[in-house]
Amino acid sequence: MPAADTEIRDETEVVSAWRAEQLELAGYGAAAAAELGSRHDVDLHVALGLLTDGCPPELALKILL
């Protein structure tokens, strides 16, 4: 595997982990945060905003997925 591919994969994993951490800190459970964090088709700001606006995490997860 070329070094560039490895770097991109490593960076993607770092970003996914950071996103999951932010989502868990906002109130999503660990499993939901990991799922949402790895889904780059899910807008992080929308996911966080749903909780900020009072949406329960379970309902927010259903909306986002």
Side-chain angles (χ1 to χ4, degrees), residues 7-32:
E7 287 178 26
I8 291 170
R9 187 179 67 214
D10 290 344
E11 187 172 321
T12 300
E13 291 170 4
V14 169
V15 170
S16 294
W18 178 83
R19 286 169 49 94
E21 179 183 11
Q22 297 306 304
L23 291 160
E24 193 168 355
L25 289 171
Y28 288 96

